[in-house]
Amino acid sequence: MCGILAVLGCVDNSQAKRSRIIELSRRLRHRGPDWSGLHCYEDCYLAHERLAIVDPTSGDQPLYNEDKTIAVTVNGEIYNHKALRENLKSHQFRTGSDCEVIAHLVKHGEEFVDMLDGMFAFVLLDTRDKSFIAARDAIGITPLYIGWGLDGSVWFASEMKALSDDCEQFMCFPPGHIYSSKQGGLRRWYNPPWFSEVVPSTPYDPLVVRNTFEKAVIKRLMTDVPFGVLLSGGLDSSLVASVALRHLEKSEAACQWGSKLHTFCIGLKGSPDLKAGREVADYLGTRHHELHFTVQDGIDAIEEVIYHVETYDVTTIRASTPMFLMSRKIKSLGVKMVLSGEGSDEIFGGYLYFHKAPNKKEFHEETCRKIKALHQYDCLRANKSTSAWGVEARVPFLDKEFINVAMSIDPEWKMIRPDLGRIEKWVLRNAFDDEKNPYLPKHILYRQKEQFSDGVGYSWIDGLKDHANKHVSETMLMNASFVFPDNTPLTKEAYYYRTIFEKFFPKSAARATVPGGPSVACSTAKAVEWDAAWSQNLDPSGRAALGVHVSAYGEDKTEDSRPEKLQKLAEKTPAIV
């Protein structure tokens, strides 16, 4: 990941303004510590902080077309850049950067954005008429904010901290949208069939699911620097690691860095993730790095985490903290890119509260809502927690083609049916249940879902709650609606995070970038209605899914406990032969 900042149409174009742009861009340097670039044209500025992943020697930004009339600053990866270059043979390229194609594709008009296969946020300036466009990838894997200055200037930045002080108003740039100075305002360029939330009817084909996912992983092995896989030992990260390992030997990355895959896992000592991660790593034969942290380590990092991740959402902070700590260790080992398993739970209904979905229509609509909100939660966490230390996270489950395939399946197949041997994400598990050429051990393939903040060790969340209880009094919480009338915190933990957030980002526009509303086990507010008991137990932890999680609050909390019925599901489920 890189960091971008663009200021267009500002009244002041003095040396002092240039210095201010450089100062603000420096706030993003953690995202791109390898090089800095700045393009100035009259009253327009494009700044860039680079994390060099592809073409480290010549791919510095901003990037240009042949005569430099087009300048672009990009944060992201364009996985189909070689295919796009084939259709641009009459153009002269200056670098080997995957992002340079953007400066040339604009000849197709603004709708060229839909041709890009990757994760990205960019701002493109045409100096011939001083028109500009900005765009963000389909799901919002790559962060982007938009702001407006009192002088009429329009601002874009990878993180809020680079524009919040200088903009009168700002907001999160919506995923799958483009901003055009010519056409005025924002419009959505990403319009897949599932976006309408109409229930699909395509029959489930496990081989199509498997093949599409393998392609998604393979294209993300595009790198000129050392990389690895975040491996918690859960289904999603384990499949990413297994598929990556199978195809690593044939990839360009193996030619440079060898075919030994590095995997990384973090947790409190004795946590479920550490145990499962080690088991999967041993099975696959990866070079595994097991990282430990204590509850106090995490608590000490909370302020930094909130500054970098730019949220006060409880579940995001809980999960971001161990990921933030792990990313620092990963960077110290010389690794700059990792593959991660975000997105699967939203696409396949993997969160435990999906057990209570009343019918396939509501199941499908909830998955659609969850995918549309990913940029505010898991995408934000995965990107900013890793970028805080100059590490890039790639997420194969959020591949455009894979999402289209998975979201076209009749949701009846995704419904959780223990009577048929189907637990959460059965569609995905079954697709990789290959007895002839196994991807994973069967008990790992059918391991119950653990949210990242739970899997690192249940005492992590309990420790956070205890810490917040010591710093937030009953009186403070009672008066929360007066202190924080917008998105009022309902728990001491939420109140504690909010006070830290407000210290760094005091403007009302900043607090409006964070979503709110009731949630249980990471559900949307709408899904809380599925079970009357949930409204009395609103907590984003998976253990709040009473009657579903094997270690639910108020039930047996032994971390290795597992009901007999779950152990038998793997035996009941037929494999693909």
Side-chain angles (χ1 to χ4, degrees), residues 539-557:
D539 189 284
S541 167
R543 288 184 290 159
L546 301 177
V548 177
H549 195 286
V550 297
S551 295
Y553 291 133
E555 300 175 16
D556 178 16
K557 291 192 179 182

Side-chain angles (χ1 to χ4, degrees), residues 464-482:
L464 284 174
K465 289 181 176 181
D466 291 343
H467 181 71
N469 286 339
K470 293 174 185 175
H471 288 79
V472 180
S473 67
E474 292 294 338
T475 304
M476 292 164 72
L477 188 61
M478 184 173 64
N479 292 323
S481 61
F482 301 105

Side-chain angles (χ1 to χ4, degrees), residues 356 520 527-539 544-547:
K356 299 293 183 76
V520 63
V528 173
E529 300 171 7
W530 291 351
D531 190 316
W534 287 350
S535 62
Q536 306 302 315
N537 191 51
L538 296 173
D539 189 284
L546 301 177

Side-chain angles (χ1 to χ4, degrees), residues 21 53 168 226 238 254 335 340 476 521 555 564:
I21 300 297
I53 303 288
E168 186 66 17
S238 298
V335 171
S340 192
M476 292 164 72
E555 300 175 16
E564 196 174 318

Side-chain angles (χ1 to χ4, degrees), residues 199 212 256 346 441 503:
V199 178
T212 311
Q256 299 183 69
E346 287 74 14
K503 181 172 68 173

Side-chain angles (χ1 to χ4, degrees), residues 254-417:
C255 299
Q256 299 183 69
W257 312 110
S259 57
K260 192 74 170 177
L261 183 66
H262 289 254
T263 52
F264 305 90
C265 185
I266 191 168
L268 306 177
K269 285 189 177 179
S271 69
D273 279 4
L274 288 180
K275 180 181 177 183
R278 170 61 63 186
E279 185 176 5
V280 175
D282 288 346
Y283 176 80
L284 296 177
T286 68
R287 185 169 180 183
H288 193 57
H289 307 266
E290 195 172 278
L291 312 171
H292 300 94
F293 78 107
T294 66
V295 172
Q296 191 59 52
D297 291 335
I299 289 171
D300 291 342
I302 288 291
E303 286 211 12
E304 256 191 302
V305 169
I306 291 174
Y307 172 76
H308 279 288
V309 181
E310 302 181 324
T311 188
Y312 50 84
D313 175 68
V314 170
T315 187
T316 303
I317 294 168
R318 288 176 176 179
S320 293
T321 305
M323 198 169 195
F324 173 86
L325 296 172
M326 177 168 54
S327 298
R328 186 176 190 180
K329 289 275 192 179
I330 289 171
K331 187 59 181 288
S332 73
L333 295 170
V335 171
K336 295 174 75 173
M337 186 273 281
V338 291
L339 302 183
S340 192
E342 279 75 18
S344 171
D345 291 314
E346 287 74 14
I347 295 168
F348 294 106
Y351 292 107
L352 297 183
Y353 72 89
F354 276 94
H355 280 250
K356 299 293 183 76
N359 53 61
K360 71 176 187 179
K361 180 176 183 293
E362 292 202 40
F363 189 107
H364 179 71
E365 289 172 351
E366 176 70 0
T367 60
C368 293
R369 288 191 293 266
K370 290 291 291 180
I371 296 171
K372 291 175 184 178
L374 265 169
H375 67 288
Q376 297 175 304
Y377 297 102
D378 284 22
C379 286
L380 179 141
R381 166 183 56 78
N383 183 281
K384 293 183 180 178
S385 297
T386 54
S387 293
W389 299 105
V391 175
E392 174 176 289
R394 297 181 181 176
V395 283
F397 281 108
L398 296 181
D399 179 82
K400 273 199 302 184
E401 183 184 356
F402 181 73
I403 293 175
N404 285 340
V405 166
M407 293 302 289
S408 69
I409 299 170
D410 186 334
E412 185 65 43
W413 289 94
K414 296 181 182 179
M415 291 283 286
I416 297 158
R417 295 284 304 277

